[in-house]
Amino acid sequence: MQSILRGGNRVLISKSTNVYTNLALERYLAENIKHQPKTRLLLLWRNQPCVVVGRYQNPFAESDIKYLAEKQIDLARRYSGGGTCYHDLGNLNVTIVTTREDYNRKKNLHWIVNTLNEAFNLTLHVTDRDDIFLDTFKVTGSASRLERLYAYHHFTLLINSCLNDLRRSLKSEDQIKITSKATPSVRSSVLNLADRNNSITYEKTIALLIEKFFQWNNEKNTTNCDYIDPLLYYEQMKDFENELKSQKFLYQATPPFVYTVEHEKQPIEISVSNGIITDIKGNDSIIDKKNFLGQLFHAVYHNIQKLNKT
Amino acid sequence: MSHIVSLRSASLRALRSSSTIVAASKCTTSPHRSCQPLRKFSYSILSTSPDQNSTIGNNKNKKRKVGDKVSVDEAIAEIETDKANLSINAPEAGTIEAYLVADSDNVTSGVHVAKLNTSADAKPVSESKTDAPIGKVETKSGQSIEKPSADPAAHISLNELSPSAGAIRDTSAPQKPIAHPIKTYAKIDPHNVTGTRLETRVKMSRMRLKISERLKEAQNTCAMLTTFNEIDMSNAVEFRKKYADQFLKRHNIKLGFMSAFVKASACALTDSPIVNAVIDGNEIVYRDYVDISVAVASPKGLVVPVIRNVEKMNYADIERAINEYGEQAKKGTLPIEDMDGGTFTISNGGVFGSLFGTPIINLPQSAILGMHGIFDRPVAINGKMEIRPMMYVALTYDHRIIDGRDAVLFLRKIKQYVEDSRTMFLDI
């Protein structure tokens, strides 16, 4: 059995649809595979409904936390930067991992655009911000992570995702209440590929990408494509997975921000740093500061919302 | 001497505060170079966006705090730009003295990020002491930093448009362009596993090359097999204890076990001449003398000097010869002739604590005896269990001329002669 960590031009498809597992798998493979120059690893994955925020984003500003909890939509923070996405089984995640020197986002995106345009008769194009648009609609968002020895570029591809859920999940009323230096998302109208060409399915897309991937890399050995069950590597990946699932990483890795609440027509500014409420400025007589100072913001979020009612 | 990794080698102040210079190029003609040895580092820092000249990234997150000790290549901060996160790694091991940018600050290429104290005693150094304006970790040779767009490090770090971003642009006249500065990492100690996922390549020494050649040759020519046995060392141990002092007094050398084994082997070899023979072409060459090569560890590696005509020697002669060779090996003065020839080899892995193992034949011989460690073991003797000091011995032989039967009987002979040395006189 060949080692899962061998280098070369390879395709791996994850059998898991758990966002934390897949993110951990992505990082595990990127960090541990012996990447060889001029070769690429293609990782294909998709998740059960979830919202994935970028490394330095503020989940409260990017999504409707309450709605996510109600509908049991997972919330995850990824290691790479960029904006927030909504994932579900109709949204294909593609990661291309290479050595640091071979990192080239534009090449990756152009390959996808050319492949899809040819096969499905579409008119996709790559924008300056490294997104893929179909006319005026966004179908792909990119993000990447560069380390000394490796770099990965991952992007989503809306095939036939539930756009209503997407819009509902990414709608945040807190956006205007939050001031921070966190990375803001640039919102765009989205569209599914299947909406333009209804013969496009997830299965067809991955089959196409796999075939064209080997061609793109001039790789004659087209058998280097495997399904990978991340459970088999649980031991190796569990640190990443636990970090990704932890409240600490999810909420406390948010860059410092100020959350403004209107209470009886008076603004109260709650400063949060590392997920902990460090300061509250406002009318002292109204609120009981003791309940909030030093607490984890996400833990008392519900109470803070109540303050806003009046 | 406190080593502050700092930028300006140009500045005299830096010289006075004896900072080490962080430089990546092989430039030797820059007038600003300090007299201290150039250290090569690679390391890319700050991000650029694909548009060449605007180089803004957010220094988003300090992974390590001031005062933290970092090892070489550990991530100390992260920069986010244009949806790409870039990690900044320490070019050398040291302690973070100070961060020069705050969390979430916007930075452009060429901006200093942190100050790293690389001296062994990492005491917190105050700003005033060093006088060096700012510490920067980057790949430059003593250049001023106000050239964002021409910053080679910056270009290399994130040139997303052209993957062949290895080439640096010449930013100063005497500087030689480097093809892949990213590949010159700080040197790591090859004998230390520090977990930074680096590799060091060390050229093989002549000796090592020779050894590997000979070993492969042996494997490729002989039909090698190993037979094992165990030796009850209680008699030998007792014997040695009883006569050690007397022996030392008379011969001035210590009585060890090697002499017992060497002599036993010699007797066994005279008994089984086929083990003492060797294949040459399609002939078997029998020899009527026994020269035993004894493997001796020298600082340069394993050497096997030969003790000649062991069949004529007694324990004292053998011990003397081994001793002499040991001394010479330590000094490195073993003459080449003494390493040549030999009809049989004995290798003692027991001194290192080995329990069991298969030695490899030393060409152009036909067999080798491997001795292992002596450990107390429960053994069955006459139906009763007793604890005896036992040693496993292994005989690797060339099956092309030595048959299994011969090899096993030969080894049993050695066992007999060591367990009861009197049998050597009885010729049984």
Side-chain angles (χ1 to χ4, degrees):
Chain A
M1 185 177 82
Q2 282 180 296
S3 159
I4 199 71
L5 297 178
R6 64 187 190 276
N9 288 314
R10 297 172 64 197
V11 178
L12 285 174
I13 309 161
S14 173
K15 279 187 171 177
S16 166
T17 51
N18 176 318
V19 61
Y20 306 110
T21 307
N22 282 326
L23 285 171
L25 176 72
E26 184 186 47
R27 176 142 180 201
Y28 171 69
L29 290 175
E31 290 207 340
N32 293 293
I33 285 190
K34 301 176 182 19
H35 306 287
Q36 285 161 24
K38 309 272 185 243
T39 65
R40 295 182 175 94
L41 166 69
L42 180 72
L43 188 60
L44 297 170
W45 39 295
R46 56 179 181 164
N47 300 319
Q48 295 287 345
C50 64
V51 166
V52 181
V53 300
R55 176 69 178 81
Y56 298 110
Q57 290 202 299
N58 188 328
F60 294 99
E62 301 295 334
S63 59
D64 190 341
I65 303 283
K66 281 224 321 278
Y67 179 74
L68 296 189
E70 264 173 57
K71 296 287 178 182
Q72 296 194 317
I73 298 177
D74 287 328
L75 175 68
R77 181 189 297 270
R78 57 175 187 268
Y79 291 113
S80 54
T84 302
C85 323
Y86 173 83
H87 294 180
D88 65 13
L89 293 177
N91 192 349
L92 172 66
N93 280 279
V94 181
T95 307
I96 297 184
V97 192
T98 58
T99 58
R100 178 74 173 76
E101 294 81 27
D102 291 337
Y103 170 73
N104 190 325
R105 270 207 305 224
K106 293 250 185 277
K107 260 200 185 170
N108 297 342
L109 293 171
H110 281 294
W111 168 64
I112 287 277
V113 159
N114 292 337
T115 312
L116 293 174
N117 280 346
E118 247 185 74
F120 296 130
N121 201 18
L122 297 167
T123 52
L124 301 162
H125 63 272
V126 182
T127 65
D128 293 332
R129 290 193 75 244
D130 285 337
D131 292 326
I132 298 181
F133 270 64
L134 182 54
D135 304 338
T136 53
F137 295 103
K138 182 171 172 174
V139 295
T140 287
S142 292
S144 20
R145 184 165 178 83
L146 295 88
E147 289 279 356
R148 192 175 56 76
L149 291 169
Y150 66 84
Y152 63 75
H153 167 214
H154 56 196
F155 51 94
T156 56
L157 196 56
L158 285 171
I159 300 181
N160 51 11
S161 189
C162 180
L163 298 182
N164 281 331
D165 284 347
L166 186 155
R167 291 186 198 104
R168 183 70 188 80
S169 307
L170 298 182
K171 184 159 123 176
S172 168
E173 287 165 359
D174 288 336
Q175 221 185 346
I176 35 173
K177 300 190 188 125
I178 294 178
T179 0
S180 88
K181 284 187 176 171
T183 316
S185 283
V186 173
R187 291 164 192 271
S188 328
S189 304
V190 292
L191 182 70
N192 279 321
L193 289 181
D195 289 345
R196 195 48 72 86
N197 177 345
N198 54 19
S199 69
I200 302 180
T201 62
Y202 168 76
E203 287 78 18
K204 269 201 190 162
T205 310
I206 59 172
L208 171 73
L209 289 181
I210 294 170
E211 186 197 329
K212 294 293 175 185
F213 177 75
F214 290 118
Q215 277 183 24
W216 179 36
N217 286 296
N218 298 320
E219 175 65 56
K220 295 198 191 56
N221 176 8
T222 55
T223 58
N224 231 340
C225 164
D226 302 291
Y227 277 88
I228 175 172
D229 185 353
L231 277 182
L232 293 175
Y233 306 97
Y234 175 69
E235 273 303 304
Q236 293 99 312
M237 288 179 4
K238 67 175 177 203
D239 289 335
F240 289 141
E241 215 176 310
N242 289 337
E243 180 182 33
L244 287 160
K245 284 186 183 160
S246 68
Q247 301 279 356
K248 187 157 178 240
F249 188 65
L250 267 178
Y251 294 110
Q252 295 184 269
T254 311
F257 62 95
V258 176
Y259 187 85
T260 312
V261 165
E262 273 248 341
H263 185 76
E264 289 180 4
K265 305 271 174 78
Q266 310 227 357
I268 300 175
E269 290 177 1
I270 304 173
S271 306
V272 183
S273 181
N274 289 340
I276 299 177
I277 299 178
T278 52
D279 193 19
I280 305 183
K281 286 203 198 76
N283 198 325
D284 290 338
S285 62
I286 301 174
I287 44 162
D288 191 357
K289 275 197 182 170
K290 270 199 299 265
N291 282 344
F292 294 104
L293 270 183
Q295 300 292 330
L296 288 171
F297 182 77
H298 66 272
V300 298
Y301 181 65
H302 191 59
N303 295 342
I304 293 175
Q305 294 294 76
K306 279 207 230 136
L307 279 180
N308 203 29
K309 296 293 186 228
T310 46
Chain B
M1 183 167 76
S2 159
H3 291 270
I4 311 285
V5 172
S6 96
L7 47 124
R8 315 201 183 212
S9 51
S11 118
L12 276 179
R13 284 197 203 137
L15 284 179
R16 256 187 265 131
S17 65
S18 61
S19 341
T20 55
I21 313 309
V22 176
S25 78
K26 302 194 169 126
C27 164
T28 53
T29 55
S30 162
H32 299 303
R33 237 180 94 246
S34 90
C35 47
Q36 283 172 339
L38 279 180
R39 302 245 193 137
K40 292 202 268 258
F41 302 109
S42 103
Y43 140 87
S44 61
I45 343 182
L46 308 171
S47 38
T48 52
S49 68
D51 325 312
Q52 283 80 340
N53 294 338
S54 84
T55 57
I56 302 219
N58 252 305
N59 177 31
K60 276 302 190 178
N61 171 32
K62 300 196 231 0
K63 291 201 166 158
R64 306 302 305 270
K65 301 195 226 346
V66 172
D68 272 353
K69 276 215 171 86
V70 291
S71 43
V72 70
D73 240 17
E74 201 179 315
I76 56 175
E78 217 170 74
I79 297 213
E80 179 170 312
T81 175
D82 213 39
K83 301 188 286 198
N85 277 9
L86 179 62
S87 79
I88 297 185
N89 302 338
E92 272 188 64
T95 316
I96 299 181
E97 260 194 52
Y99 274 105
L100 302 154
V101 289
D103 240 347
S104 299
D105 268 359
N106 277 348
V107 294
T108 54
S109 140
V111 163
H112 302 166
V113 171
K115 199 165 173 179
L116 191 65
N117 183 340
T118 56
S119 69
D121 56 324
K123 286 195 289 278
V125 179
S126 64
E127 292 287 312
S128 52
K129 181 173 178 191
T130 60
D131 246 356
I134 318 183
K136 176 178 181 179
V137 282
E138 60 152 354
T139 60
K140 270 192 166 204
S141 66
Q143 275 199 39
S144 72
I145 25 109
E146 293 84 19
K147 290 186 197 171
S149 59
D151 183 340
H155 271 283
I156 287 161
S157 64
L158 275 207
N159 199 328
E160 287 154 79
L161 291 179
S162 81
S164 58
I168 296 190
R169 286 216 236 119
D170 242 24
T171 50
S172 75
Q175 186 180 357
K176 269 206 232 154
I178 303 171
H180 286 283
I182 287 196
K183 295 225 165 66
T184 59
Y185 300 123
K187 286 266 185 278
I188 54 164
D189 180 5
H191 302 295
N192 250 341
V193 177
T194 51
T196 47
R197 304 193 69 85
L198 294 174
E199 290 181 335
T200 324
R201 296 183 154 245
V202 179
K203 254 199 139 63
M204 277 171 84
S205 66
R206 273 252 133 81
M207 190 165 201
R208 189 110 302 259
L209 282 169
K210 201 87 223 290
I211 293 177
S212 60
E213 223 180 275
R214 300 209 58 217
L215 288 172
K216 260 333 263 183
E217 214 193 314
Q219 268 193 341
N220 295 340
T221 41
C222 304
M224 275 200 281
L225 285 181
T226 309
T227 172
F228 296 95
N229 220 306
E230 59 181 6
I231 299 184
D232 185 344
M233 296 294 287
S234 19
N235 281 343
V237 172
E238 206 193 298
F239 177 79
R240 186 164 158 266
K241 230 199 288 204
K242 190 162 172 190
Y243 296 105
D245 289 333
Q246 233 180 335
F247 190 88
L248 182 60
K249 229 191 279 189
R250 173 149 173 156
H251 299 286
N252 237 344
I253 35 178
K254 277 179 82 179
L255 175 65
F257 289 121
M258 280 308 278
S259 43
F261 278 90
V262 172
K263 188 65 187 166
S265 308
C267 292
L269 283 166
T270 42
D271 239 9
S272 322
I274 189 71
V275 187
N276 204 37
V278 80
I279 290 190
D280 184 14
N282 49 9
E283 293 172 328
I284 301 181
V285 184
Y286 289 94
R287 281 126 2 149
D288 65 353
Y289 55 90
V290 176
D291 285 351
I292 296 194
S293 321
V294 180
V296 163
S298 85
K300 289 226 195 98
L302 197 65
V303 286
V304 258
V306 185
I307 307 177
R308 313 257 173 214
N309 287 106
V310 187
E311 77 277 9
K312 299 203 176 89
M313 293 181 158
N314 61 32
Y315 279 22
D317 301 324
I318 297 174
E319 284 295 346
R320 202 173 300 127
I322 294 180
N323 220 321
E324 245 177 67
Y325 283 139
E327 293 294 317
Q328 287 183 311
K330 255 191 270 190
K331 294 199 206 111
T333 56
L334 266 177
I336 284 286
E337 322 82 72
D338 277 348
M339 310 252 250
D340 203 19
T343 60
F344 186 71
T345 305
I346 299 186
S347 156
N348 190 356
V351 289
F352 306 110
S354 128
L355 175 72
F356 210 68
T358 53
I360 192 169
I361 291 180
N362 183 16
L363 283 187
Q365 297 166 4
S366 302
I368 174 171
L369 175 74
M371 296 161 54
H372 297 283
I374 302 175
F375 299 104
D376 277 344
R377 252 196 290 130
V379 285
I381 302 205
N382 292 333
K384 283 217 254 323
M385 186 180 76
E386 301 197 19
I387 310 276
R388 294 287 173 94
M390 304 293 290
M391 178 201 278
Y392 283 116
V393 285
L395 179 79
T396 301
Y397 59 98
D398 185 354
H399 207 307
R400 293 178 300 163
I401 54 171
I402 303 173
D403 286 332
R405 181 175 169 276
D406 300 324
V408 174
L409 291 179
F410 174 79
L411 192 57
R412 280 201 74 89
K413 268 265 144 64
I414 295 187
K415 172 185 162 84
Q416 181 193 298
Y417 293 144
V418 173
E419 281 182 350
D420 192 346
S421 38
R422 300 169 297 185
T423 49
M424 286 194 275
F425 293 106
L426 296 175
D427 199 12
I428 48 174

